[in-house]
Every structure is written in structure tokens, then in C-alpha cells.
Amino acid sequence: MTRSDRERDPDRSRAAILDAAEQLFAEHGYALTSLAEVGLRAGVSRGTPGYFFGSKADLYQAVLERSFDEVRTAVRSGRERALTGDHTAEEILAGAVSDYFDFLSARPNFVRLIEREALGGPARLGREDAPPLSAGEEALAAIAAELGLDPAPSGEAAQLLLSIVSLCWFPVVHADTVARAVGVDLSTPEAHAARKQHVVALVTGGLRALSSIRSDHLLQDASA
Amino acid sequence: MTRSDRERDPDRSRAAILDAAEQLFAEHGYALTSLAEVGLRAGVSRGTPGYFFGSKADLYQAVLERSFDEVRTAVRSGRERALTGDHTAEEILAGAVSDYFDFLSARPNFVRLIEREALGGPARLGREDAPPLSAGEEALAAIAAELGLDPAPSGEAAQLLLSIVSLCWFPVVHADTVARAVGVDLSTPEAHAARKQHVVALVTGGLRALSSIRSDHLLQDASA
DNA sequence: CCATACTTGCTATCCAGCAAGCAAGCGAAG
DNA sequence: CTTCGCTTGCTTGCTGGATAGCAAGTATGG
């Protein structure tokens, strides 16, 4: 072993505290997580989280920022990967939806943190949501360009993107509540895959429907 | 006035406490809501919530149960209304989705309570979710019968129903976080209506896609 | 006058933040 | 090379504020 666990190592401690805090904030929420618990899980003492991060609120902020950074870089690399090779627009959409579904499923901590934030976190986040917001804008521009949809805010592309996010997001949070209540099992990998397949089918089908609706409108406009 | 506000009236007090608690639990969550706050908002003293409901946990439970009851009766009456008159399956589906979208939008407290519950409420709800679960089963049976889909758990009807719930649910929670991040405005009634229209179009379009996929499978099966 | 509807005082618990202390590396003076 | 002293990592004791729940008190109406 390169270093004993007993040695002093601030980087290691910071990372361990961030990991512990992310897990506990995601699991129990801000109010129900004590700094003592964070220290315990991180293998440091009661006071160390406060020592490194100043206050509980600052620690929470640091957790959020680290999550956002991870997500942003992941979204970037995923997008690059999606555009390699030549595929039809529908294939690209299907692949992106599938990837995003897996992406969120693999990051329940992130999803839960944002969820709690949406419900009104510690203090209402009035600050700029720059990191995730920019990721959203990137995704919006990409989907609009790729599918030939209106890229305006609240336009077709934004609506479709929000639908995709809704469909991929919801099962992560509600596997044991709503999904169970409406009779969808999500506990096994197979069930998970089946859900993903349904979502992809719904979105690609919906894209066709949007196109045809737009065609209808064009026809109506032409005939008027 | 039939009764002075100063008179003793346990029913009135109980209802006021439930209203106040529902609002505060939905807004700030269980942990950040104190019984003193509930009493203050309900116009009673600090100790009255405890007097009527025993403990904070019991009060929370009572709030949830009242919400579930309301929702269940609302779902029943909405379903009856949907089946009056003769419409195509697609029209019925579109109407139901539209109604459900409005239904959830009009009940943010309910949505937020369930959301917090899904994130792991006060104590993990290991108890039976009988009320909402039965409402989900009713909806599942109805949608399967009406659209001629497979009513089995995790079958087509269940998947579609979960998608509908996802799409209608998400904007209520994430109007200021994710929706804003992907460029969808939901702040005005018009924007809200536009979102609803998109959801309805997506679901009805998705239904057609599901049908055609099933046809494909049938054709494949037949040709095999 | 008594049961019931409330209120108020009290206490035990929890926890965030601070402040003081201990210990481990580390560079420089001797 | 070694020891002295400073910086930094980390721990522990303490305090003040919040709050749930209980117990004792007060008031109101039948």
C-alpha cells in the first residue's frame, strides 16, 4: 500500500467527506443529515466536516457543485459519442434517449439531490443554476439541430426534451411509489430494460406524431 | 355568522390543523416543519396539534391519509365523467391525459407530499400503500380495457400509464429546475396549456407507435 | 360541576458552530 | 543530524438555540 490509512491526507479526507455527505444528503435530505453522521461515515471525527468546509450549508453547496461538474462532463462526452458514425435522426434520438435513461439510472444520488432541491432545498436556490442550465441548453441546441425542430425556448425541441427528461427521470425517484402503484416493476435489470425500451418507443413514436401534426398545420395553412 | 371564531370547535380545529400541516409539510418537508408552526398557521396554540393528533408522526400520517382519500374520490369521479358520451379510444385517452395533467397541476401539495415520501419520508413507508395503489390499479384496468392493451403488470397498459403519470407529474415538481434548464417556461397559463397539449400529442402519438410495433411483432410472428 | 377543549411551563434531546487543544510533518538554525 | 518552532490536519469540550412531548393548568359549555 502506498499510504497508510492512518496518515494525514487532507485530499483524501475532503473526498471522503464529500462522498459521505453526497450519500447522506441524497438519502436523508439536508435537514436530517448531521455533520456528526457525515464525519462518522467518512471515517473522520465529528468536527472534521466543519473544519474543511466551514459550515453545513457550504458542505452541501460543495456536494452539489461536484455533482454538477460530473454531470456536465458526462453529458459532453455522451454527446460526442452519439454523433460518431452516421445514423438517421430517429436512430440518434433513440440512442440518446437510451443513454440518458441509463445515465440517470446510474446516478440516483444526483437525481435525488436535484429532486430535493426542486422541492425547496435548505434555502431556496435563488442563485444561478449555471452548470446544469448550460447542459440543458447544449442538449436543447443539439436535439433541435439533429431533428430539425424549432430550437426556441418552449418550442417543439424544448418540449420534446422535457418529455424525454421526464420519462427517464421519473422511474429513478418513483420506482417504489408510483411505478409500483400503477403496476410497473422496476426491480430487475430486465424490467428496467423493458421500461427503457418503452420510453424509447414512445419518444420516437411521438417524434413522428409531432412531425405529422406539423405537416397538418402546414397543409391547413396552405389551404387557408 | 353561524359561530364565532372564538368558540370551541374541535372539528374546526382539527381541519385547520390538517390544512396547515398539509401546506407546511408539502412546502418545507417533515423535518423542517415544527408543531409550533403548524399551530401558528392553524390559529391555535403551540400545543394543540399534539393534543389532537398525538405526535408529529401521527399528524403527518393523518395528512397523508386525507390526501389519499381526496385523490381517490377525485379519480373515481373523473373516470366516470370520461366515459360518458361516445368517443374513440384515442379521444378518451387524450381527454384522460388532459384531465390528469390539470388534476395534478391543481394539487401541488399532494404531488410534493408523495415526492417527499418517495425520497424517503420521515420513516421509510414500509406500510401498505393501499389507497393510491388501488387507484393505480383502477386506472390500469380502465386504460387497458379502453385501448385494448395488455392489462398485465408491467405490460403495455402499465407502461403507458406510467409514462402518462411521468409526463403529467414532472412539470409540477420541476417547473423551476429542470423545465427551466431545458428552456421550457411553465409560469403562465398559456405556457401551461402548451405543455399539456404537447403531452397529449406525445401520448396519443405514442399509442399509435405502440400499436404499429405490436402489428410488426404480429407480422413477424406470423411470418415465422 | 365535570368533561372536554385548549394553553403554557418544563425538560430532555439534538445539533451546528466555535474555541481550545493535541499531534504530525517540515523547514531552518545550530 | 537533530532539535526547535511553526503550520496544518484533526479532535474534543462547550454553548446556545430549536423543538418534541409531557404534565399541569385554565377556560368553556352542557
Side-chain angles (χ1 to χ4, degrees):
Chain A
M1 56 201 68
T2 58
R3 283 197 177 198
S4 159
D5 288 354
R6 280 288 171 190
E7 271 182 42
R8 308 205 314 185
D9 184 344
D11 290 345
R12 184 185 150 84
S13 292
R14 290 183 76 95
I17 289 167
L18 279 176
D19 289 343
E22 175 183 314
Q23 181 67 26
L24 290 170
F25 283 146
E27 198 168 339
H28 307 305
Y30 181 82
L32 287 182
T33 299
S34 73
L35 294 180
E37 260 179 302
V38 172
L40 184 66
R41 180 180 264 258
V44 296
S45 86
R46 200 183 89 227
T48 312
Y51 170 74
F52 278 110
F53 293 92
S55 73
K56 187 181 179 181
D58 289 340
L59 172 60
Y60 180 75
Q61 189 75 14
V63 167
L64 279 190
E65 275 164 20
R66 194 182 65 159
S67 285
F68 286 158
D69 282 353
E70 277 176 21
V71 166
R72 186 161 52 173
T73 61
V75 166
R76 288 253 169 81
S77 71
R79 181 173 150 201
E80 284 171 15
R81 188 161 32 82
L83 294 179
T84 59
D86 56 36
H87 303 279
T88 66
E90 188 169 315
E91 283 169 346
I92 288 178
L93 180 65
V97 171
S98 178
D99 284 355
Y100 190 62
F101 190 96
D102 291 335
F103 173 78
L104 288 185
S105 298
R107 283 162 185 80
N109 279 354
F110 172 75
V111 170
R112 294 166 81 87
L113 284 172
I114 300 295
E115 201 75 31
R116 293 189 186 278
E117 202 61 30
L119 288 172
R124 201 91 187 89
L125 83 170
R127 54 188 150 69
E128 311 304 308
D129 275 343
L133 207 150
S134 68
E137 281 170 1
E138 286 177 29
L140 175 57
I143 201 174
E146 205 55 53
L147 304 180
L149 295 175
D150 174 13
S154 296
E156 283 176 338
Q159 296 284 354
L160 186 63
L161 179 56
L162 180 57
S163 297
I164 292 169
V165 175
S166 302
L167 290 166
C168 294
W169 190 283
F170 199 80
V172 180
V173 178
H174 286 282
D176 288 334
T177 48
V178 179
R180 178 175 286 263
V182 299
V184 174
D185 175 56
L186 290 167
S187 58
T188 69
E190 293 78 27
H192 192 261
R195 178 66 197 157
K196 180 169 71 174
Q197 192 183 343
H198 171 87
V199 167
V200 170
L202 186 65
V203 171
T204 52
L207 174 65
R208 281 195 285 266
L210 285 183
S211 306
S212 65
I213 284 176
R214 197 172 36 175
S215 303
D216 290 352
H217 283 186
L218 288 176
L219 288 175
Q220 288 173 0
D221 290 349
S223 65
Chain B
M1 57 200 68
T2 58
R3 283 197 178 199
S4 158
D5 288 356
R6 281 286 171 192
E7 271 181 42
R8 305 199 323 181
D9 185 344
D11 291 345
R12 184 185 148 85
S13 293
R14 291 182 77 95
I17 290 167
L18 280 175
D19 289 343
E22 176 182 314
Q23 180 67 26
L24 290 169
F25 283 146
E27 198 169 340
H28 308 303
Y30 181 81
L32 288 181
T33 299
S34 74
L35 293 181
E37 260 179 303
V38 172
L40 184 65
R41 179 178 264 257
V44 296
S45 85
R46 205 184 85 226
T48 313
Y51 171 72
F52 278 111
F53 293 93
S55 74
K56 186 181 179 181
D58 288 340
L59 172 60
Y60 180 76
Q61 188 75 14
V63 166
L64 279 190
E65 275 164 20
R66 193 182 65 159
S67 285
F68 286 158
D69 282 354
E70 276 176 23
V71 167
R72 185 161 52 172
T73 62
V75 166
R76 288 253 169 82
S77 72
R79 181 174 150 199
E80 283 171 16
R81 187 161 32 82
L83 294 179
T84 58
D86 57 43
H87 303 279
T88 67
E90 188 169 315
E91 284 168 346
I92 289 178
L93 180 64
V97 170
S98 178
D99 284 354
Y100 190 61
F101 190 95
D102 290 335
F103 173 78
L104 289 185
S105 298
R107 283 161 186 80
N109 279 353
F110 173 74
V111 170
R112 293 166 82 86
L113 283 172
I114 301 294
E115 201 75 31
R116 293 189 186 278
E117 200 62 31
L119 289 172
R124 203 91 187 89
L125 81 171
R127 54 188 148 69
E128 311 303 310
D129 277 342
L133 207 150
S134 68
E137 282 170 1
E138 286 177 29
L140 175 57
I143 201 174
E146 205 54 53
L147 304 179
L149 295 174
D150 176 12
S154 296
E156 284 175 338
Q159 296 284 354
L160 186 62
L161 179 57
L162 180 57
S163 297
I164 293 169
V165 175
S166 303
L167 291 166
C168 294
W169 190 283
F170 199 80
V172 180
V173 179
H174 285 283
D176 288 333
T177 48
V178 179
R180 177 175 286 264
V182 299
V184 174
D185 175 55
L186 290 168
S187 58
T188 68
E190 293 77 27
H192 193 261
R195 177 66 195 156
K196 180 168 71 173
Q197 192 184 342
H198 171 87
V199 167
V200 169
L202 186 65
V203 171
T204 53
L207 174 65
R208 281 196 285 266
L210 285 184
S211 305
S212 65
I213 285 175
R214 197 174 37 176
S215 302
D216 290 353
H217 283 184
L218 288 175
L219 288 175
Q220 287 173 2
D221 289 350
S223 65

